[in-house]
Amino acid sequence: GGFLCHISKMSEKAQMSSEIFDRQVVKIHRDRAARGLSEFEFLLCEVADMVADRLSDIRRSFPVALDVGCHTGQIAALLAGRGGIETLLQCDLSEQMARRTSGLKIVADEEYLPIGDGVLDLVVSCLSLHWVNDLPGALIQLRRALKEDGLFLAAFFGGETLKELRQSLIAAESEITGGAGPRVSPYADVRDGGALLQRAGFALPVADTDVLTVSYESPLKLMRDLRGMGEQMATHTRQKSFTRRSIMLRAAEIYQEMFGDSDGRVPATFE
């Protein structure tokens, strides 16, 4: 069994131009994706497995752990019996995501975590922190929540993610309208990861990169999967109306022309 505790503190400066992501829209996307996520969670499960394997390489116990941005519990299922974890608290911005996990859970914004200082042995995060506006600030909160010898282990999308889709959308919109705006959310450069960890006060920081290339039957199937994962565009500068159908169809054609293989399938890069 478990219980759900709802703690929410939305940023008062949510509309400031200095913020990249509209956190309310991120929440809406995740709420919508929660019910059907099991159909689109393959990438989450793949990366969660990589994170769990990293934890298994460390020969010590982590009795009290926090999963930040837990989605519907993908990493929790893999951590069972690993790392000496006795208590795992799961946290997500989306109440609909959190409700679909088992065990202890809270609904809270990663930018305003309701966790005391020095109480956690382990913090894990799988494909959620790339939606945080103040990543250094969030990392500082997590470092403070950890005990002195605690471990932070996270994976988030890096700058090369969806480079094929980005190029195709820019080309299509430029061709049809004569200009192009951002259509794919920006991602942090993983090369800056170590510096971010040092800035947040972590000791012995390590940052590395894995690139996963997923084969799709068509670009439109990729776009559908991104929506199913709750990974649509959510920046303040995004176009507020629906993208014109002609742009989406032309982008799919360009994607196929530029990146398609002899079988008609297309690759999608996730860093």
Side-chain angles (χ1 to χ4, degrees):
F3 69 89
L4 178 73
C5 177
H6 192 293
I7 302 174
S8 155
K9 180 180 179 183
M10 297 305 295
S11 172
E12 294 177 357
K13 54 177 181 159
Q15 299 302 317
M16 289 179 59
S17 60
S18 60
E19 290 194 348
I20 298 173
F21 302 113
D22 187 330
R23 297 286 290 168
Q24 183 62 27
V25 170
V26 173
K27 178 182 181 298
I28 290 170
H29 289 169
R30 290 169 81 93
D31 280 345
R32 288 174 178 170
R35 178 176 296 180
L37 189 62
S38 59
E39 184 181 347
F40 304 98
E41 66 178 0
F42 69 94
L43 191 61
L44 284 168
C45 292
E46 178 73 18
V47 178
D49 191 52
M50 295 164 65
V51 173
D53 280 346
R54 297 292 181 91
L55 182 63
S56 296
D57 291 338
I58 301 172
R59 303 305 178 194
R60 56 159 293 188
S61 295
F62 301 95
V64 182
L66 170 68
D67 177 7
V68 179
C70 63
H71 293 90
T72 55
Q74 285 74 18
I75 200 168
L78 292 168
L79 292 181
R82 300 199 199 196
I85 296 173
E86 299 171 5
T87 301
L88 175 63
L89 177 63
Q90 298 172 86
C91 163
D92 203 278
L93 177 67
S94 163
E95 179 176 344
Q96 297 305 315
M97 288 282 189
R99 284 192 178 279
R100 286 166 171 78
T101 67
S102 59
L104 302 175
K105 66 203 77 171
I106 59 174
V107 178
D109 192 323
E110 295 98 329
E111 296 184 356
Y112 300 97
L113 285 173
I115 306 293
D117 292 351
V119 296
L120 301 173
D121 299 289
L122 170 70
V123 173
V124 295
S125 182
C126 181
L127 298 186
S128 282
L129 292 178
H130 54 276
W131 288 119
V132 171
N133 282 305
D134 182 12
L135 186 53
L139 292 177
I140 288 171
Q141 291 184 64
L142 294 173
R143 191 259 301 161
R144 289 175 176 169
L146 284 164
K147 297 175 183 177
E148 284 192 10
D149 60 347
L151 173 68
F152 172 58
L153 187 59
F156 59 88
F157 286 131
E160 291 297 297
T161 297
L162 298 174
K163 60 182 181 180
E164 302 92 350
L165 179 60
R166 193 187 313 271
Q167 292 177 39
S168 301
L169 285 168
I170 289 173
E173 189 169 14
S174 297
E175 179 182 304
I176 292 173
T177 69
R183 296 289 178 180
V184 177
S185 288
Y187 300 106
D189 190 329
V190 179
R191 290 174 296 184
D192 296 330
L196 283 172
L197 291 169
Q198 284 184 320
R199 178 179 170 186
F202 284 97
L204 306 175
V206 175
D208 58 20
T209 299
D210 286 291
V211 176
L212 301 176
T213 302
V214 182
S215 175
Y216 282 92
E217 61 188 53
S218 72
L220 295 177
K221 180 64 166 60
L222 165 62
M223 297 176 197
R224 177 174 176 265
D225 278 15
L226 292 173
R227 181 178 177 83
M229 288 190 289
E231 292 291 329
Q232 310 101 294
M233 184 79 160
T235 63
H236 280 296
T237 58
R238 75 193 184 283
Q239 179 179 307
K240 302 304 190 290
S241 60
F242 288 109
T243 301
R244 287 162 55 176
R245 179 178 174 82
S246 59
I247 293 175
M248 301 302 291
L249 292 177
R250 181 58 184 142
E253 291 176 352
I254 292 171
Y255 200 129
Q256 197 81 53
E257 293 165 3
M258 293 179 65
F259 305 105
D261 63 20
S262 57
D263 296 323
R265 301 183 68 86
V266 294
T269 297
F270 296 92
E271 181 184 20

